[in-house]
Amino acid sequence: MHVTTIYQPRFSWSLSSRNVGEDLHISTWIGNFEVMKITIRIMFLLLLAATSISQMSGTGKHAAMSDDIRAEWFKKKIADTTLTLSCRAAYTDSLARMANGTKRRDALLLRGRMLYDLGRYEEALRLYDDLAPQIRADSLDLLTFISWQQAMLAFTVRDYSRSVELSYEMLNAKLPDRLLHYKVNAGAVIADFYKIMNDYAMSRKYIRKN
């Protein structure tokens, strides 16, 4: 009796098992690769954000440094006596525009003196008029100085009523000894006013007060 044997591969199960294992391994590798791509993408975004923040911070520092350099350059130009006074006065305006607080105030005070020396009295008076309200009430020395500049400049541009009014206020103000010379100046302004008005008796009165 002849028995027909059906051929079956000896390793059919093991081969099938190996294929499944390879598929699992490939799937795992693909999954890990996707996770790696996402991780790289996140790291790139974080790096980009950190770079942007650093650049923004650097820009602020660079701008501050640039302002300091410009301010020092303006100061050197203002102090350069080889330049014309008009040119130096223009630099004080540039410095005042970029400065704040006491630095701006000091630049404006220097500009006021230069404008007076240039004979630009009305411009100087406007400068002091704008500056006066910005000065603290307890800064008596500076307020008195500005008030005197206003009285003197008002007289120079022939605004006599304002000049005399400011001078009278200064005469009646309570000032410490270190500022009493402003009272002398105010009295001289009033004396000059009466002299212009041909009232020599009143003029002599205020001269004697000084």
Side-chain angles (χ1 to χ4, degrees), residues 105-166:
R105 179 204 66 193
D106 292 344
L108 289 174
L109 289 171
L110 179 57
R111 177 170 174 77
R113 289 195 291 271
M114 288 184 173
L115 291 175
Y116 177 82
D117 291 339
L118 287 167
R120 293 157 61 177
Y121 305 123
E122 292 182 351
E123 191 175 347
L125 180 56
R126 287 195 299 270
L127 182 149
Y128 288 117
D129 287 344
D130 292 339
L131 183 58
Q134 303 175 35
I135 305 302
R136 289 171 42 181
D138 59 352
S139 301
L140 183 61
D141 293 58
L142 186 53
L143 284 172
T144 305
F145 168 78
I146 292 176
S147 182
W148 159 241
Q149 294 296 314
Q150 290 172 305
M152 177 188 62
L153 288 165
F155 191 91
T156 305
V157 299
R158 300 184 179 183
D159 187 352
Y160 298 126
S161 60
R162 185 185 182 199
S163 178
V164 170
E165 180 183 356
L166 288 168

Side-chain angles (χ1 to χ4, degrees), residues 85-96:
L85 186 58
S86 179
C87 181
R88 292 164 62 198
Y91 283 122
T92 61
D93 183 57
S94 299
L95 180 60

